[in-house]
Amino acid sequence: MTWFIEISSLMITISIVIILAYPFLQSFPPAEAIKSSNSNHDPLFNYRQSPNFKNSPKCAIFPTSSITTKICNPSVVHLSMTLDTKFLRGSVAAIHSVLQHCHCPENLFFHFISSDSVNLEPHLEKIFPSLAFKIYYFNPGIVQNKISSSIRQALEHPLNYARNYLADLLEPCVERVIYLDSDIILVDDISNLWRTSLGSRILGSPEYCHANFTNYFTPKFWSHKRFFRAFHGRRPCYFNTGVMVIDIIKWRKYRYTRKLEKWMKIQRVHRIYELGSLPPFLLVFAGKIAPIDQRWNQHGLGGDNLSGSCRNIHAGPVSLLHWSGGGKPWLRLDSGNSCPLDELWARYDLHGLK
């Protein structure tokens, strides 16, 4: 059964409608408090333990094996996210939501990319004792001299650029991966997204062709033919890089990391965009991606990049909610100034002894 929610823009009380109409968003078995020296002294690592999610009978059964063997199993669904202490709470909620709505959660493998000085592996193991995962170190120095200032400081963090280097970081046997941002919640089975056909394309993502594409680049970009001719012969549409299905084999073959780096170097000299790691992806891939149903990225729930104001979901079916923008649900909830949809995110929050 496919889990989904459909929320109309005419709703009066969104939180009540969600709770009453969609039972899959209601409470799940109580989580067990984690006991550790860190959780007792540092609120940053004060998490409850996730329920132990098991495969349904229809799932393929993997023999007990090493992490390396499971990574290379062709039946595994590969997911990748960045991981750091600042966004750990968001990452934990995202993982929790993926596991809760997946029919075959034991067939998932998470590839976490981290630049953090804190070893987050033991904390994840306590929160998710059965989770199959590996943490890869991303050296910030790789991009430190390629990053230019952005309209929001958070967008300048080197870890935002780790998605550019997945093909270099992951094992050679990994052929496809779903990349997810840390501020998302799944309300559908991730396997449905995994089975999306990319055809001959390198990358798949929901497209938004009604957006004003010119806004993602500076006037200098549009006034110089050497820059804007990059879009010659294609109809570029906006897509959000927080949800992408990537063909790693083709990415490696055609050296797409180098193509992204080329635009980052141009940006350092000519200032052709303002939005961090997104515009290079638009320059390289816009108009050349496999379009995925927009239900897989209901983005913008964090409001704009500066004020982070409240926003509602677009009308239509929803599989993934994305708090992209300046406002993060855990910060708004803690401040007592939350938005209606932040209460939905809170259902997957494992932080604190509730």
Side-chain angles (χ1 to χ4, degrees), residues 7 32 37 43 61 80 83 87 108-109 117 134 183 191 208 210 213-214 241 251-252 257 296 315 334-335 345 353:
I7 302 177
E32 177 186 343
S37 57
I61 299 176
S80 183
L83 194 67
F87 282 87
L108 305 178
F109 194 95
S117 58
K134 180 177 178 180
D183 51 1
S191 300
Y208 302 87
H210 62 276
F213 196 80
T214 59
T241 54
W251 184 293
R252 291 182 179 122
T257 297
W296 287 104
D334 286 352
S335 70
W345 179 92
L353 301 179

mmCIF file of all heavy atoms in Angstrom, residues 7 32 37 43 61 80 83 87 108-109 117 134 183 191 208 210 213-214 241 251-252 257 296 315 334-335 345 353:
data_model
loop_
_atom_site.group_PDB
_atom_site.id
_atom_site.type_symbol
_atom_site.label_atom_id
_atom_site.label_comp_id
_atom_site.label_asym_id
_atom_site.label_seq_id
_atom_site.Cartn_x
_atom_site.Cartn_y
_atom_site.Cartn_z
ATOM 1 N N ILE A 7 -3.428 17.388 0.758
ATOM 2 C CA ILE A 7 -3.826 18.521 1.599
ATOM 3 C C ILE A 7 -4.285 19.668 0.720
ATOM 4 O O ILE A 7 -3.550 20.117 -0.136
ATOM 5 C CB ILE A 7 -2.645 18.964 2.487
ATOM 6 C CG1 ILE A 7 -2.190 17.793 3.352
ATOM 7 C CG2 ILE A 7 -3.048 20.147 3.335
ATOM 8 C CD1 ILE A 7 -0.981 18.124 4.193
ATOM 9 N N GLU A 32 12.235 4.070 23.293
ATOM 10 C CA GLU A 32 12.959 3.811 24.534
ATOM 11 C C GLU A 32 14.049 4.862 24.730
ATOM 12 O O GLU A 32 14.783 5.185 23.803
ATOM 13 C CB GLU A 32 13.577 2.419 24.447
ATOM 14 C CG GLU A 32 14.412 2.043 25.649
ATOM 15 C CD GLU A 32 15.106 0.716 25.432
ATOM 16 O OE1 GLU A 32 14.701 -0.027 24.528
ATOM 17 O OE2 GLU A 32 16.059 0.434 26.173
ATOM 18 N N SER A 37 26.593 7.988 28.674
ATOM 19 C CA SER A 37 27.247 9.091 29.374
ATOM 20 C C SER A 37 27.052 10.394 28.630
ATOM 21 O O SER A 37 26.854 11.449 29.221
ATOM 22 C CB SER A 37 28.748 8.796 29.540
ATOM 23 O OG SER A 37 29.341 8.558 28.266
ATOM 24 N N PRO A 43 22.862 17.719 26.043
ATOM 25 C CA PRO A 43 21.525 17.657 25.433
ATOM 26 C C PRO A 43 21.562 17.463 23.927
ATOM 27 O O PRO A 43 20.577 17.030 23.340
ATOM 28 C CB PRO A 43 20.906 19.016 25.809
ATOM 29 C CG PRO A 43 22.064 19.900 26.135
ATOM 30 C CD PRO A 43 23.118 19.006 26.710
ATOM 31 N N ILE A 61 15.007 -11.571 1.671
ATOM 32 C CA ILE A 61 15.738 -11.747 2.917
ATOM 33 C C ILE A 61 17.228 -11.806 2.626
ATOM 34 O O ILE A 61 17.693 -12.616 1.821
ATOM 35 C CB ILE A 61 15.294 -13.034 3.639
ATOM 36 C CG1 ILE A 61 13.800 -12.949 3.976
ATOM 37 C CG2 ILE A 61 16.105 -13.241 4.918
ATOM 38 C CD1 ILE A 61 13.248 -14.211 4.600
ATOM 39 N N SER A 80 21.743 8.459 0.649
ATOM 40 C CA SER A 80 22.861 9.256 1.136
ATOM 41 C C SER A 80 22.364 10.564 1.716
ATOM 42 O O SER A 80 21.468 11.210 1.155
ATOM 43 C CB SER A 80 23.864 9.537 0.014
ATOM 44 O OG SER A 80 24.983 10.245 0.514
ATOM 45 N N LEU A 83 25.755 14.550 7.414
ATOM 46 C CA LEU A 83 25.560 14.323 8.835
ATOM 47 C C LEU A 83 26.500 15.235 9.621
ATOM 48 O O LEU A 83 27.709 15.196 9.422
ATOM 49 C CB LEU A 83 25.858 12.853 9.155
ATOM 50 C CG LEU A 83 25.416 12.308 10.509
ATOM 51 C CD1 LEU A 83 23.895 12.260 10.600
ATOM 52 C CD2 LEU A 83 25.999 10.916 10.719
ATOM 53 N N PHE A 87 22.816 19.751 12.396
ATOM 54 C CA PHE A 87 21.578 19.283 11.778
ATOM 55 C C PHE A 87 21.244 17.843 12.175
ATOM 56 O O PHE A 87 20.402 17.216 11.542
ATOM 57 C CB PHE A 87 21.676 19.387 10.250
ATOM 58 C CG PHE A 87 21.493 20.783 9.728
ATOM 59 C CD1 PHE A 87 22.580 21.644 9.629
ATOM 60 C CD2 PHE A 87 20.251 21.253 9.362
ATOM 61 C CE1 PHE A 87 22.427 22.949 9.162
ATOM 62 C CE2 PHE A 87 20.069 22.542 8.885
ATOM 63 C CZ PHE A 87 21.168 23.393 8.781
ATOM 64 N N LEU A 108 17.552 -1.323 3.344
ATOM 65 C CA LEU A 108 18.095 0.011 3.095
ATOM 66 C C LEU A 108 19.539 0.083 3.581
ATOM 67 O O LEU A 108 19.915 -0.557 4.556
ATOM 68 C CB LEU A 108 17.274 1.074 3.825
ATOM 69 C CG LEU A 108 15.771 1.127 3.557
ATOM 70 C CD1 LEU A 108 15.131 2.220 4.415
ATOM 71 C CD2 LEU A 108 15.467 1.359 2.095
ATOM 72 N N PHE A 109 20.318 0.899 2.887
ATOM 73 C CA PHE A 109 21.671 1.188 3.370
ATOM 74 C C PHE A 109 21.889 2.691 3.277
ATOM 75 O O PHE A 109 21.689 3.297 2.225
ATOM 76 C CB PHE A 109 22.746 0.464 2.554
ATOM 77 C CG PHE A 109 24.092 0.473 3.229
ATOM 78 C CD1 PHE A 109 24.495 -0.585 4.016
ATOM 79 C CD2 PHE A 109 24.945 1.575 3.106
ATOM 80 C CE1 PHE A 109 25.720 -0.562 4.678
ATOM 81 C CE2 PHE A 109 26.160 1.612 3.757
ATOM 82 C CZ PHE A 109 26.556 0.532 4.538
ATOM 83 N N SER A 117 34.017 16.898 13.561
ATOM 84 C CA SER A 117 35.112 16.398 14.391
ATOM 85 C C SER A 117 34.610 15.408 15.437
ATOM 86 O O SER A 117 35.380 14.647 16.013
ATOM 87 C CB SER A 117 35.816 17.569 15.094
ATOM 88 O OG SER A 117 34.898 18.298 15.883
ATOM 89 N N LYS A 134 27.085 3.553 6.899
ATOM 90 C CA LYS A 134 28.513 3.831 6.938
ATOM 91 C C LYS A 134 28.684 5.346 6.892
ATOM 92 O O LYS A 134 27.941 6.043 6.188
ATOM 93 C CB LYS A 134 29.232 3.180 5.756
ATOM 94 C CG LYS A 134 30.738 3.436 5.721
ATOM 95 C CD LYS A 134 31.409 2.696 4.560
ATOM 96 C CE LYS A 134 32.903 3.002 4.507
ATOM 97 N NZ LYS A 134 33.570 2.282 3.388
ATOM 98 N N ASP A 183 16.586 18.015 6.177
ATOM 99 C CA ASP A 183 15.370 18.674 6.663
ATOM 100 C C ASP A 183 14.136 18.172 5.920
ATOM 101 O O ASP A 183 13.246 18.939 5.565
ATOM 102 C CB ASP A 183 15.497 20.200 6.544
ATOM 103 C CG ASP A 183 15.936 20.653 5.156
ATOM 104 O OD1 ASP A 183 16.132 19.792 4.267
ATOM 105 O OD2 ASP A 183 16.104 21.868 4.955
ATOM 106 N N SER A 191 11.153 3.067 -1.442
ATOM 107 C CA SER A 191 11.395 2.136 -2.549
ATOM 108 C C SER A 191 10.669 2.567 -3.817
ATOM 109 O O SER A 191 11.112 2.270 -4.929
ATOM 110 C CB SER A 191 10.963 0.715 -2.168
ATOM 111 O OG SER A 191 11.682 0.251 -1.047
ATOM 112 N N TYR A 208 10.264 22.062 -11.631
ATOM 113 C CA TYR A 208 9.292 23.129 -11.412
ATOM 114 C C TYR A 208 9.490 24.172 -12.511
ATOM 115 O O TYR A 208 10.245 25.138 -12.353
ATOM 116 C CB TYR A 208 9.472 23.739 -10.015
ATOM 117 C CG TYR A 208 9.341 22.696 -8.920
ATOM 118 C CD1 TYR A 208 10.446 21.965 -8.510
ATOM 119 C CD2 TYR A 208 8.104 22.412 -8.353
ATOM 120 C CE1 TYR A 208 10.331 20.975 -7.536
ATOM 121 C CE2 TYR A 208 7.971 21.434 -7.378
ATOM 122 C CZ TYR A 208 9.092 20.724 -6.972
ATOM 123 O OH TYR A 208 8.972 19.742 -6.023
ATOM 124 N N HIS A 210 7.395 26.286 -13.746
ATOM 125 C CA HIS A 210 6.680 27.560 -13.614
ATOM 126 C C HIS A 210 7.526 28.599 -12.886
ATOM 127 O O HIS A 210 7.196 29.782 -12.882
ATOM 128 C CB HIS A 210 5.377 27.341 -12.836
ATOM 129 C CG HIS A 210 5.600 26.851 -11.435
ATOM 130 N ND1 HIS A 210 5.797 25.515 -11.156
ATOM 131 C CD2 HIS A 210 5.692 27.507 -10.256
ATOM 132 C CE1 HIS A 210 5.987 25.371 -9.860
ATOM 133 N NE2 HIS A 210 5.941 26.554 -9.284
ATOM 134 N N PHE A 213 13.143 31.190 -13.752
ATOM 135 C CA PHE A 213 14.491 30.645 -13.753
ATOM 136 C C PHE A 213 15.567 31.731 -13.727
ATOM 137 O O PHE A 213 16.662 31.521 -13.193
ATOM 138 C CB PHE A 213 14.670 29.758 -14.998
ATOM 139 C CG PHE A 213 15.853 28.841 -14.922
ATOM 140 C CD1 PHE A 213 15.798 27.661 -14.203
ATOM 141 C CD2 PHE A 213 17.040 29.156 -15.562
ATOM 142 C CE1 PHE A 213 16.890 26.815 -14.127
ATOM 143 C CE2 PHE A 213 18.138 28.323 -15.499
ATOM 144 C CZ PHE A 213 18.060 27.138 -14.778
ATOM 145 N N THR A 214 15.255 32.891 -14.265
ATOM 146 C CA THR A 214 16.262 33.956 -14.332
ATOM 147 C C THR A 214 16.681 34.434 -12.943
ATOM 148 O O THR A 214 17.777 34.960 -12.769
ATOM 149 C CB THR A 214 15.732 35.165 -15.132
ATOM 150 O OG1 THR A 214 14.548 35.664 -14.510
ATOM 151 C CG2 THR A 214 15.405 34.749 -16.559
ATOM 152 N N THR A 241 17.903 20.414 -5.216
ATOM 153 C CA THR A 241 18.913 19.356 -5.083
ATOM 154 C C THR A 241 18.812 18.595 -3.762
ATOM 155 O O THR A 241 19.633 17.721 -3.482
ATOM 156 C CB THR A 241 20.327 19.949 -5.205
ATOM 157 O OG1 THR A 241 20.475 21.022 -4.251
ATOM 158 C CG2 THR A 241 20.557 20.491 -6.608
ATOM 159 N N TRP A 251 27.586 9.138 -13.826
ATOM 160 C CA TRP A 251 28.229 10.321 -13.230
ATOM 161 C C TRP A 251 29.744 10.177 -13.298
ATOM 162 O O TRP A 251 30.461 11.111 -13.689
ATOM 163 C CB TRP A 251 27.765 10.487 -11.795
ATOM 164 C CG TRP A 251 28.279 11.723 -11.100
ATOM 165 C CD1 TRP A 251 29.565 11.998 -10.749
ATOM 166 C CD2 TRP A 251 27.500 12.853 -10.680
ATOM 167 N NE1 TRP A 251 29.651 13.215 -10.116
ATOM 168 C CE2 TRP A 251 28.415 13.766 -10.063
ATOM 169 C CE3 TRP A 251 26.149 13.172 -10.740
ATOM 170 C CZ2 TRP A 251 27.986 14.976 -9.523
ATOM 171 C CZ3 TRP A 251 25.733 14.382 -10.201
ATOM 172 C CH2 TRP A 251 26.637 15.274 -9.605
ATOM 173 N N ARG A 252 30.230 9.006 -12.888
ATOM 174 C CA ARG A 252 31.677 8.778 -12.915
ATOM 175 C C ARG A 252 32.211 8.777 -14.350
ATOM 176 O O ARG A 252 33.252 9.372 -14.634
ATOM 177 C CB ARG A 252 31.994 7.434 -12.250
ATOM 178 C CG ARG A 252 31.758 7.397 -10.746
ATOM 179 C CD ARG A 252 32.159 6.037 -10.184
ATOM 180 N NE ARG A 252 31.960 5.964 -8.723
ATOM 181 C CZ ARG A 252 31.198 5.078 -8.116
ATOM 182 N NH1 ARG A 252 30.555 4.156 -8.825
ATOM 183 N NH2 ARG A 252 31.075 5.085 -6.803
ATOM 184 N N THR A 257 31.468 15.655 -11.592
ATOM 185 C CA THR A 257 32.041 16.451 -10.500
ATOM 186 C C THR A 257 32.890 17.582 -11.062
ATOM 187 O O THR A 257 32.842 18.727 -10.595
ATOM 188 C CB THR A 257 32.882 15.565 -9.564
ATOM 189 O OG1 THR A 257 32.031 14.585 -8.967
ATOM 190 C CG2 THR A 257 33.540 16.393 -8.471
ATOM 191 N N TRP A 296 7.310 14.021 -4.627
ATOM 192 C CA TRP A 296 8.533 13.580 -3.963
ATOM 193 C C TRP A 296 9.403 14.731 -3.473
ATOM 194 O O TRP A 296 10.499 14.503 -2.960
ATOM 195 C CB TRP A 296 9.343 12.662 -4.877
ATOM 196 C CG TRP A 296 8.703 11.314 -5.000
ATOM 197 C CD1 TRP A 296 7.994 10.822 -6.065
ATOM 198 C CD2 TRP A 296 8.694 10.282 -4.009
ATOM 199 N NE1 TRP A 296 7.536 9.561 -5.796
ATOM 200 C CE2 TRP A 296 7.954 9.188 -4.546
ATOM 201 C CE3 TRP A 296 9.228 10.156 -2.728
ATOM 202 C CZ2 TRP A 296 7.749 8.008 -3.827
ATOM 203 C CZ3 TRP A 296 9.024 8.988 -2.018
ATOM 204 C CH2 TRP A 296 8.287 7.933 -2.574
ATOM 205 N N ALA A 315 -1.401 21.995 -2.993
ATOM 206 C CA ALA A 315 -2.474 21.021 -3.158
ATOM 207 C C ALA A 315 -1.970 19.829 -3.960
ATOM 208 O O ALA A 315 -1.166 19.980 -4.878
ATOM 209 C CB ALA A 315 -3.661 21.685 -3.859
ATOM 210 N N ASP A 334 11.215 24.615 19.263
ATOM 211 C CA ASP A 334 11.887 24.917 20.528
ATOM 212 C C ASP A 334 11.672 26.361 20.962
ATOM 213 O O ASP A 334 11.666 26.673 22.158
ATOM 214 C CB ASP A 334 13.388 24.631 20.419
ATOM 215 C CG ASP A 334 13.697 23.148 20.414
ATOM 216 O OD1 ASP A 334 12.770 22.335 20.639
ATOM 217 O OD2 ASP A 334 14.870 22.783 20.172
ATOM 218 N N SER A 335 11.493 27.252 19.994
ATOM 219 C CA SER A 335 11.312 28.669 20.311
ATOM 220 C C SER A 335 9.871 29.001 20.693
ATOM 221 O O SER A 335 9.576 30.118 21.109
ATOM 222 C CB SER A 335 11.728 29.532 19.118
ATOM 223 O OG SER A 335 10.790 29.394 18.047
ATOM 224 N N TRP A 345 6.235 17.421 11.427
ATOM 225 C CA TRP A 345 7.644 17.016 11.554
ATOM 226 C C TRP A 345 7.908 16.449 12.951
ATOM 227 O O TRP A 345 8.648 15.468 13.113
ATOM 228 C CB TRP A 345 8.552 18.223 11.294
ATOM 229 C CG TRP A 345 10.007 17.912 11.424
ATOM 230 C CD1 TRP A 345 10.866 17.510 10.441
ATOM 231 C CD2 TRP A 345 10.778 17.945 12.637
ATOM 232 N NE1 TRP A 345 12.118 17.281 10.962
ATOM 233 C CE2 TRP A 345 12.092 17.538 12.308
ATOM 234 C CE3 TRP A 345 10.495 18.269 13.957
ATOM 235 C CZ2 TRP A 345 13.118 17.459 13.249
ATOM 236 C CZ3 TRP A 345 11.506 18.187 14.907
ATOM 237 C CH2 TRP A 345 12.806 17.783 14.543
ATOM 238 N N LEU A 353 13.720 13.311 26.130
ATOM 239 C CA LEU A 353 13.028 12.220 26.822
ATOM 240 C C LEU A 353 11.560 12.568 26.978
ATOM 241 O O LEU A 353 11.133 13.081 28.014
ATOM 242 C CB LEU A 353 13.693 11.977 28.194
ATOM 243 C CG LEU A 353 15.167 11.622 28.133
ATOM 244 C CD1 LEU A 353 15.727 11.441 29.525
ATOM 245 C CD2 LEU A 353 15.386 10.353 27.313
#
